[in-house]
Amino acid sequence: LMAGLGLFVLILNTPPGRKAASQMASSLLERPLQLQGPVYPLLRWPLTLHVKNLIVRNAEGRTQENMADIGTLEVSIDLTSLFKGPVTLPKVFLSDSQLHLERNEKNVPNWQMGSAQPGKASKPPVIRFLEMHNTRITYVDKPLDVRVERTSH
């Protein structure tokens, strides 16, 4: 298992590996995603992945080009939750990032990705602990004419 994980990380951290991972994720999300930096597991339980420089493009017609521009993401995953649901992330850490969340005039959120049908949002993951440093989040709700912006330090 450890050898397989090591090989996966080694391949993922090459330019062709990052490109292939970006294409697979883009296909699943039905939204362009670019993995520009390294990804590696941290030797702790639960499984924790450390990701640098990740960009998720925004849905068409939104006010910002990117939905997420992530400098550093560290996310722990409860592996058993992948099989029994809901997906549980015991800890999510964001640093040097920008997130742009938005509902358009038709009340469709930009965080709805993949083959989710409007009005039938898939269940979001359960995040038990969220820590952010130097991260800006903007939320625009066009039907309610609301705009909120917060920055963590």
Side-chain angles (χ1 to χ4, degrees):
L1 180 65
M2 291 305 287
L5 183 59
L7 181 61
F8 171 74
V9 169
L10 182 64
I11 292 170
L12 185 60
N13 285 304
T14 64
R18 277 197 286 275
K19 183 177 179 183
S22 295
Q23 289 172 337
M24 285 178 22
S26 294
S27 177
L28 286 170
L29 297 175
E30 297 176 4
R31 176 104 39 101
L33 178 143
Q34 292 178 317
L35 178 57
Q36 298 178 328
V39 175
Y40 54 88
L42 300 176
L43 299 176
R44 62 177 123 171
W45 190 257
L47 173 66
T48 302
L49 295 176
H50 185 89
V51 180
K52 296 286 274 185
N53 303 327
L54 174 68
I55 295 173
V56 180
R57 296 279 185 235
N58 217 337
E60 287 191 33
R62 303 305 173 126
T63 57
Q64 299 290 325
E65 179 182 6
N66 297 330
M67 184 181 103
D69 190 344
I70 298 171
T72 300
L73 169 66
E74 202 169 283
V75 58
S76 61
I77 305 162
D78 178 348
L79 295 177
T80 60
S81 74
L82 297 177
F83 301 104
K84 61 181 180 174
V87 173
T88 301
L89 308 174
K91 182 177 180 186
V92 175
F93 170 81
L94 280 171
S95 178
D96 304 315
S97 302
Q98 293 184 34
L99 302 175
H100 302 286
L101 306 175
E102 181 177 341
R103 267 187 211 280
N104 67 11
E105 295 83 3
K106 296 178 181 177
N107 208 31
V108 177
N110 68 339
W111 58 89
Q112 182 175 298
M113 296 185 216
S115 53
Q117 299 296 318
K120 290 187 175 184
S122 57
K123 286 187 174 182
V126 174
I127 299 173
R128 290 198 180 128
F129 181 78
L130 173 64
E131 183 177 351
M132 297 184 297
H133 295 279
N134 193 32
T135 295
R136 184 173 64 130
I137 298 175
T138 57
Y139 175 73
V140 175
D141 193 314
K142 290 188 177 178
L144 296 177
D145 194 27
V146 171
R147 179 179 173 84
V148 178
E149 188 170 316
R150 298 290 296 177
T151 302
S152 68
H153 299 284

